[in-house]
Amino acid sequence: MLWAVITLVKCALAVHLPLFVDEAFYWQESRHPAWAYSDLPGLTAALVGLGETVAGHGPVGVRWPFLLIAAWLPWHVVAIARREAGDGGPALAWQAGSLAVLLPLLGTLGVMALPDVPLALATVLCLDAGARLLRGVRWPAVALLAAGLAIGGLTHYRFIAVIGVGFVALLSLPEGRRALRDARVWLALAIGALAWWPLLQWNLANADAGLRFQLVDRHPWTFHLDGLQFIVAQALFVTPLLLWALLRAGWAGRRAGAAGARYLARSGLLVLAGFFALGFFADSERISFHWPLPAWLALLPLAPAVLARWPALARRTAWALAALGLAAGLGYYAIAATPAIRTRLADSKAYPSNFAGWDVLADAVAARRAKMPAGTTLLADGFKVGAELGFLFDDPRIPVLDHPLNVHHGRAPQLLLWGLHRDGRALRDTAPALLITGATDVEYRRQLTHWHALCERVGPLPPPTVVNVDGGRKRYLLFALTGARATGPCVAPAMAWIDAPGQGAVVPRRLAVNGWAFKEGVGLASVEVLLDGRPFGRAGYGLPRPEAAGFWAKWREGGSTDPHQPNVGFSAELDLSGVPAGSHRLGLRLHGRDGSVEDWPERVIVVR
């Protein structure tokens, strides 16, 4: 019943949750079938392609194979636990399966079409096969091992850790060394090795671009203390008491009487220790809390025996915390799938930015494109925008400009291979295009440099159509490029900063608003203050703000080229006597001398 309820909840979420950025790119890969890509082997894209072939285009088509695989995993944990749990028998096996359903890292799996799902399947198959081989080498165990190794090799570079740890765990046991002397085991290993051939071939043909990204470019390989966050992250995403139970199960199981239990315990602890050590040297910018999932899959069959020895209160608390952790994980997806709730989180760190606003952007792009000449092409400034709009428009061929994110996520080589990388200069001279840029995809202090780099590629930018999602937490700018060459200084989107009031400030009825704003190349004509999206007053503009010019000079050689610099400050006195008490959103409307009108992201204020 637990499995059925959670599976139904995950299916409902998968229907309504917008595609995550990586999912959209895997969808794009599925429309360019290949055995391997710059970021991953081809299995994830193949599953997405299979899903859409059967169920049609849309989130359900993309995700149902992953939901199906994830739904199977707890049952396989039950099967392993039934065989390896020892004296506890079926009761402990069912508890292991229930823990697999509730473990937040595993219980949320499948809602999104991510490689972690087939990777978890490959891990479970290999763990099951390894435990079976310790009882004697038979063809079913050999077949399981071959299948697991093949699936893992076709899924992710990270599976190499599972292979290495599994091999070491087998070597550490007399029964494992005996199994490794059997030729049938080496046949399975050979089949698994063949699964890496597409990835090897891709790297040989592309100057090791994928391998360099995974092993070199994305990691600093210098010691840093961010590895300590590993402990906090696992306590959060596994839940504290269940984490302790799994660790205790691994420590006790490493010297258990049954060879299978020893194999599972040693495999889990080795994977965990390896990723913990790696955390002090590897990439700390991207999400990596899910990496140790293979360790928890190995230890889950052993955990119920540990929990059974705990006092009733501790045992029930562990189960309750696991259930709350899973509810929090699935609840986060529910928030991301509900625009009204998501908007309330716009000013918090919990804001699900990679899910938010793609439908709003697609509607704005369609409306703006309809006003442009027939044959206008879409041009994205980075892979995120290109993949998400590609999915929503069912067009996997949206060209993309060079962008730091393309390199940062290892997608630049693949875009080049697909012929989707565009030189903005050449495009500007040939045909009308609608350029879609994600302003919030670039750190604020680097945006001025980013806009100037864009000017170098496409020329001075025309007045943009601004798309602010959730009060500007996500912000897109659409530029209609006519195809005619434009020359002159860089004209870029307006930029601003509100010094006062601050975010979340409690403000009086007489409110002073001040800050600075500028627009490269042409300057601003005026600044309006908005309250809850409506004009509420005009600010005085042109006040001296030399510190603003000095700030941008630190982040871009030559600083800002607004002709008004350094007189770019603004100030306004607002009478809020007629405004209801409570939370409101304060924004700016920036009027450029080129006729542009751009709404700046809002901030929350609380009127007393």
Side-chain angles (χ1 to χ4, degrees), residues 445-472:
R445 61 186 178 181
R446 304 187 190 280
Q447 284 185 19
L448 187 63
T449 300
H450 177 71
W451 296 129
H452 276 270
L454 194 59
C455 280
E456 290 176 6
R457 279 174 281 176
V458 302
L461 297 168
T465 298
V466 179
V467 182
N468 283 328
V469 177
D470 296 332

Side-chain angles (χ1 to χ4, degrees), residues 84 130-132 134-135 173 257-265 302:
E84 307 297 340
R132 287 169 181 257
L134 298 175
R135 297 170 179 265
L173 299 168
R262 278 181 286 152
Y263 168 74
L264 293 173
L302 309 178

Side-chain angles (χ1 to χ4, degrees), residues 350-426:
Y351 181 72
S353 61
N354 278 316
F355 297 99
W358 299 115
D359 53 345
V360 177
L361 176 62
D363 291 342
V365 168
R368 187 66 185 87
R369 191 183 193 184
K371 298 176 182 178
M372 296 182 69
T376 294
T377 61
L378 298 182
L379 174 64
D381 72 333
F383 88 91
K384 287 186 175 183
V385 172
E388 287 283 359
L389 288 182
F391 174 76
L392 291 170
F393 291 139
D394 197 10
D395 178 7
R397 299 290 304 173
I398 294 177
V400 175
L401 290 175
D402 189 22
H403 193 288
L405 286 176
N406 300 346
V407 177
H408 190 64
H409 291 270
R411 270 66 192 259
Q414 196 59 59
L415 293 167
L416 282 167
L417 287 174
W418 289 337
L420 296 184
H421 181 272
R422 290 291 185 273
D423 184 329
R425 298 181 188 89

Side-chain angles (χ1 to χ4, degrees), residues 294-535:
W296 308 131
L297 287 167
L299 299 177
L300 273 172
L302 309 178
V306 171
L307 287 171
R309 295 192 291 269
W310 287 11
L313 179 60
R315 188 168 61 248
R316 290 167 184 163
T317 303
W319 282 93
L321 286 176
L324 287 173
L326 178 63
L330 296 177
Y332 182 77
Y333 289 147
I335 289 170
T338 310
I341 302 176
R342 188 191 70 215
T343 301
R344 297 175 189 172
L345 294 177
D347 301 303
S348 73
K349 292 183 179 180
Y351 181 72
S353 61
N354 278 316
F355 297 99
W358 299 115
D359 53 345
V360 177
L361 176 62
D363 291 342
V365 168
R368 187 66 185 87
R369 191 183 193 184
K371 298 176 182 178
M372 296 182 69
T376 294
T377 61
L378 298 182
L379 174 64
D381 72 333
F383 88 91
K384 287 186 175 183
V385 172
E388 287 283 359
L389 288 182
F391 174 76
L392 291 170
F393 291 139
D394 197 10
D395 178 7
R397 299 290 304 173
I398 294 177
V400 175
L401 290 175
D402 189 22
H403 193 288
L405 286 176
N406 300 346
V407 177
H408 190 64
H409 291 270
R411 270 66 192 259
Q414 196 59 59
L415 293 167
L416 282 167
L417 287 174
W418 289 337
L420 296 184
H421 181 272
R422 290 291 185 273
D423 184 329
R425 298 181 188 89
L427 189 74
R428 186 67 187 258
D429 294 336
T430 54
L434 181 60
L435 171 61
I436 307 107
T437 66
T440 44
D441 287 338
V442 180
E443 189 180 8
Y444 182 70
R445 61 186 178 181
R446 304 187 190 280
Q447 284 185 19
L448 187 63
T449 300
H450 177 71
W451 296 129
H452 276 270
L454 194 59
C455 280
E456 290 176 6
R457 279 174 281 176
V458 302
L461 297 168
T465 298
V466 179
V467 182
N468 283 328
V469 177
D470 296 332
R473 178 62 187 267
K474 289 194 75 174
R475 191 167 189 257
Y476 302 97
L477 303 175
L478 315 183
F479 300 96
L481 307 180
T482 62
R485 174 178 287 277
T487 58
C490 177
V491 178
M495 301 190 68
W497 189 264
I498 301 174
D499 290 324
Q503 171 65 30
V506 178
V507 300
R509 294 289 173 170
R510 297 292 300 182
L511 174 63
V513 179
N514 58 76
W516 47 261
F518 64 90
K519 184 174 177 67
E520 295 293 270
V522 294
L524 290 175
S526 62
V527 174
E528 278 186 285
V529 180
L530 308 181
L531 192 68
D532 296 328
R534 295 185 298 273

Side-chain angles (χ1 to χ4, degrees), residues 105-410:
L105 275 181
L106 186 58
T108 55
L109 217 59
V111 175
M112 295 192 293
L114 299 176
D116 300 87
V117 180
L119 196 62
L121 174 62
T123 300
V124 167
L125 292 177
C126 287
L127 288 169
D128 190 7
R132 287 169 181 257
L133 289 172
L134 298 175
R135 297 170 179 265
V137 179
R138 296 180 178 83
W139 281 112
V142 172
L144 270 181
L145 180 61
L149 291 172
I151 292 171
L154 291 170
T155 299
H156 206 288
Y157 290 86
R158 204 165 59 242
F159 188 69
I160 198 71
V162 176
I163 296 174
V165 163
F167 194 73
V168 170
L170 285 175
L171 282 176
S172 71
L173 299 168
E175 299 89 342
R177 293 192 291 273
R178 183 169 60 249
L180 288 172
R181 289 194 288 269
D182 193 298
R184 289 172 291 180
V185 174
W186 286 95
L187 174 63
L189 293 174
I191 293 171
L194 284 175
W196 292 90
W197 172 245
L199 205 57
L200 177 62
Q201 188 179 42
W202 190 96
N203 278 283
L204 288 173
N206 294 279
D208 298 327
L211 200 60
R212 280 189 290 105
F213 171 73
Q214 294 288 346
L215 300 182
V216 180
D217 297 342
R218 68 176 294 182
H219 301 295
W221 296 122
T222 55
F223 181 79
H224 54 79
L225 291 176
D226 290 343
L228 294 174
Q229 297 176 5
F230 177 91
I231 301 171
V232 178
Q234 293 310 302
L236 182 64
F237 289 100
V238 177
T239 66
L241 289 180
L242 184 53
L243 172 65
W244 180 243
L246 289 165
L247 292 175
R248 291 285 299 168
W251 189 254
R254 78 193 197 285
R255 298 191 182 279
R262 278 181 286 152
Y263 168 74
L264 293 173
R266 296 179 186 188
S267 295
L269 292 178
L270 283 171
V271 169
L272 200 61
F275 281 125
F276 176 60
L278 184 64
F280 290 96
F281 299 91
D283 177 15
S284 59
E285 293 183 21
R286 299 170 183 83
I287 293 173
S288 57
F289 62 79
H290 58 290
W291 287 5
L293 181 57
W296 308 131
L297 287 167
L299 299 177
L300 273 172
L302 309 178
V306 171
L307 287 171
R309 295 192 291 269
W310 287 11
L313 179 60
R315 188 168 61 248
R316 290 167 184 163
T317 303
W319 282 93
L321 286 176
L324 287 173
L326 178 63
L330 296 177
Y332 182 77
Y333 289 147
I335 289 170
T338 310
I341 302 176
R342 188 191 70 215
T343 301
R344 297 175 189 172
L345 294 177
D347 301 303
S348 73
K349 292 183 179 180
Y351 181 72
S353 61
N354 278 316
F355 297 99
W358 299 115
D359 53 345
V360 177
L361 176 62
D363 291 342
V365 168
R368 187 66 185 87
R369 191 183 193 184
K371 298 176 182 178
M372 296 182 69
T376 294
T377 61
L378 298 182
L379 174 64
D381 72 333
F383 88 91
K384 287 186 175 183
V385 172
E388 287 283 359
L389 288 182
F391 174 76
L392 291 170
F393 291 139
D394 197 10
D395 178 7
R397 299 290 304 173
I398 294 177
V400 175
L401 290 175
D402 189 22
H403 193 288
L405 286 176
N406 300 346
V407 177
H408 190 64
H409 291 270

